[in-house]
Structure formats: structure tokens, C-alpha cells
Amino acid sequence: QVQLVESGGGLVQAGDSLTLSCVVSGHILSSYVMAWFRQAPGKEREFVARIMWTGGITYYGDSVKGRFTISKDNAKNTVFLQMNSLKPEDTAVYYCAVRRAIVNEYAYWGQGTQVTVSS
């Protein structure tokens, strides 16, 4: 079992930066893939970024590429999402999720943290 707890959300202005954190606890496998998703009101959940727990290979969604950076601190069991040049359309609840590398479905999810970007 894995537990995920996100933090760092808040209200910012367009152009500002914000860093989200996701603390991971429980039995962490080296083959895990850690990801951030987001969901805005009335919209489907959107993939934001992912990182391999071992090796650190990253991948980003097109809407955040070049502005957001996903990283991790294995010693602290924490995944980060550095968000720069925020836009009002980045407003959403951001979720941290985990899956094994050999499957496509994310098995564990956090409770989410709200990010609101004002224009």
C-alpha cells in the first residue's frame, strides 16, 4: 500500500511560480512511476508530468512543457512539481499518482491540492 499527500497549492497571479510537493509513504518499489495530473472544473483529468522513481527519466504534457519541471528527492520520498510562468488556464486541482512501470493504470492517488491562477 502506498499513501500520497500533496501540498503547496494556493492562489497566485499569472506569471508567478509555485512548487507542489507530494510525500510518498508505504512500500515504494524501484519500478514505480510518479506523476502529476490536474483537473479543472468541468474538464477531464489531464496528464501533467511523470518521473521514474529510479533513474529520473521525465516526460511532460504539451500544455506545460517548458514551464513545469518534475523532480524527486528519493531520500525524502518526495516528488515535486515546479510551476513557472503560471497561466489562468493552469487553474485546477493537482493530484499526485503512482503506478508500476509495467502497467498503464495509476493505482495510488493523493487527495489533491488546489492551484488557482488569477489574471
Side-chain angles (χ1 to χ4, degrees), residues 16-102:
D16 285 351
S17 298
L18 198 62
T19 299
L20 305 182
S21 300
C22 173
V23 178
V24 187
S25 60
H27 185 53
I28 302 172
L29 299 178
S30 61
S31 62
Y32 275 170
V33 177
M34 317 296 299
W36 287 96
F37 289 81
R38 67 186 183 185
Q39 188 165 22
K43 295 187 177 181
E44 292 187 354
R45 187 169 58 201
E46 177 188 13
F47 167 78
V48 175
R50 68 170 185 254
I51 187 168
M52 299 293 294
W53 191 250
T54 301
I57 297 174
T58 59
Y59 184 79
Y60 295 90
D62 289 340
S63 62
V64 306
K65 204 172 294 183
R67 298 188 299 123
F68 290 11
T69 302
I70 189 171
S71 62
K72 61 183 177 66
D73 184 333
N74 289 49
K76 296 182 178 179
N77 286 353
T78 302
V79 180
F80 303 98
L81 185 68
Q82 172 69 41
M83 304 184 293
N84 297 327
S85 303
L86 283 162
K87 306 174 182 179
E89 51 263 44
D90 294 319
T91 295
V93 177
Y94 284 71
Y95 297 93
C96 182
V98 174
R99 66 171 171 88
R100 295 188 66 183
I102 59 173

